[in-house]
Amino acid sequence: MKNTDEIDAMTRALARVAPGQPGGHPSDAEAQTLLTLITAEGPATAAPQTRPARPQGLRRLPWRAGAAGRRGRLLPVLGMAVAAAVAIAVIVTSVSAPAAAPVSGRDVLLMAATSAEHLPQGMGTYWHITRTFQGPDGPQTQESWTTRDGHHWSRNEPYAAPGAVVEDPAPFRLMGAEIGFEELEGLPADPEELKERIARLPRSDSAMTPADRQGELVSPLITLITDLPTPAQVRSAAFEALAATPGVKNAGPVEGGQELLIPLSESLEIRMVVDPEAARVARANILLTAEGGVVMSRSYISVTTEWTDELPR
């Protein structure tokens, strides 16, 4: 590298910062001279005389290729004086990357809607739901298994002995209305049409929240994306319809996704963690279950669902 003494002198001139004194400016003569020195090619790298001349201006510096090439370009190989000069130039011109805008609750749900369209449905004999929550005596787990023809088994329901798997006739429900696999597969894949169809279902006021009674249908939409074996396109529509709910907020990233706050009334809100890439609700503080019940927790209820061929035991 040539002219290192000149570069060093120019660097000191540009870097001067004293109380009440301005620093160097990129339009100063010293800065322009510095840029010329930085971009000048040494004798060993000068272009052959037969090469067509580049237009006047800054020249491209060679970039080193290596194992990290797939992750982006590496810094050019520069001498210490030039590296220092570049750092000073960045400071002088006040170049900084803009801060990323925070992701809204609506955006999180719309991202989940996009992911839901492309996730595989899965196959199996039983639709298996597992809910884990903090009970008065410690962590509790409830499970259920349902076949496509409506046979249903459950474990740790309040009416059964702890740990016992019992067969019962509990059907899937949405706002208190029975809904089977065929009805779920026939639901509209358009958000507005989906809400209209849900609104026409037979319902029980005891299975609805204040927001549901006002027409927002928050609870059934959440049930469609948490507990029920909802087809991919309908799940996507449910996420999109939920994104239009007034007052949805993103409380920020937490383990497993983004924590969203969705108002149910003036004094009650659902807190739920959504993984937008997996298009799933990892946990929530209030759930209207696939069987039509309600589970509430001061902390969270974790939910996992899957198709399985494993028999309930």
Side-chain angles (χ1 to χ4, degrees):
M1 177 63 66
K2 64 178 182 178
N3 300 325
T4 55
D5 292 339
E6 295 177 64
I7 292 174
D8 185 61
M10 299 305 300
T11 300
R12 288 197 301 272
L14 281 174
R16 69 181 187 278
V17 177
Q21 297 294 327
H25 192 276
S27 63
D28 293 345
E30 291 89 345
Q32 296 300 315
T33 304
L34 179 60
L35 288 174
T36 301
L37 292 172
I38 292 172
T39 57
E41 294 180 350
T45 60
Q49 295 298 320
T50 57
R51 183 177 178 179
R54 292 175 182 256
Q56 294 296 322
L58 296 180
R59 307 180 186 219
R60 292 183 180 177
L61 294 175
W63 296 86
R64 180 187 296 172
R70 290 173 296 178
R71 289 177 289 175
R73 294 177 171 178
L74 298 177
L75 290 174
V77 183
L78 298 174
M80 291 299 294
V82 175
V86 171
I88 295 301
V90 170
I91 295 172
V92 169
T93 56
S94 300
V95 176
S96 61
V103 179
S104 68
R106 178 178 182 274
D107 289 339
V108 171
L109 292 169
L110 290 178
M111 286 187 285
T114 300
S115 299
E117 287 186 288
H118 308 290
L119 293 176
Q121 287 290 99
M123 298 181 63
T125 305
Y126 307 95
W127 179 250
H128 181 208
I129 304 171
T130 304
R131 306 183 195 97
T132 303
F133 54 95
Q134 187 68 30
D137 300 321
Q140 296 185 12
T141 299
Q142 292 180 350
E143 293 180 272
S144 68
W145 297 259
T146 306
T147 61
R148 293 181 184 273
D149 60 3
H151 287 83
H152 183 86
W153 294 261
S154 62
R155 174 187 284 142
N156 290 337
E157 289 290 345
Y159 52 79
V165 174
V166 296
E167 185 173 2
D168 56 48
F172 288 149
R173 293 183 180 274
L174 198 60
M175 290 196 309
E178 292 189 20
I179 188 166
F181 284 89
E182 291 185 4
E183 287 85 359
L184 285 170
E185 291 171 356
L187 289 174
D190 176 82
E192 290 302 321
E193 293 179 8
L194 176 62
K195 290 180 69 173
E196 291 175 5
R197 178 73 64 82
I198 293 173
R200 294 199 302 266
L201 290 173
R203 62 180 68 182
S204 169
D205 284 347
S206 62
M208 299 173 63
T209 67
D212 301 331
R213 298 189 192 103
Q214 294 170 9
E216 296 301 338
L217 304 176
V218 173
S219 299
L221 290 173
I222 293 177
T223 304
L224 286 173
I225 60 179
T226 53
D227 272 18
L228 290 172
T230 310
Q233 297 295 322
V234 180
R235 281 174 55 81
S236 176
F239 271 114
E240 190 171 345
L242 197 60
T245 302
V248 176
K249 296 179 181 179
N250 184 6
V254 294
E255 182 180 355
Q258 300 281 328
E259 183 181 44
L260 304 187
L261 309 178
I262 304 178
L264 296 179
S265 68
E266 292 183 358
S267 59
L268 184 64
E269 65 184 4
I270 287 181
R271 291 184 293 111
M272 65 182 191
V273 177
V274 176
D275 181 344
E277 294 184 2
R280 63 180 295 265
V281 176
R283 54 193 185 274
N285 67 326
I286 302 172
L287 283 180
L288 270 72
T289 69
E291 298 82 17
V294 178
V295 183
M296 302 182 67
S297 173
R298 291 183 179 179
S299 54
Y300 273 122
I301 308 116
S302 298
V303 185
T304 59
T305 57
E306 62 178 346
W307 282 106
T308 180
D309 288 322
E310 185 177 347
L311 292 171
R313 296 184 177 87

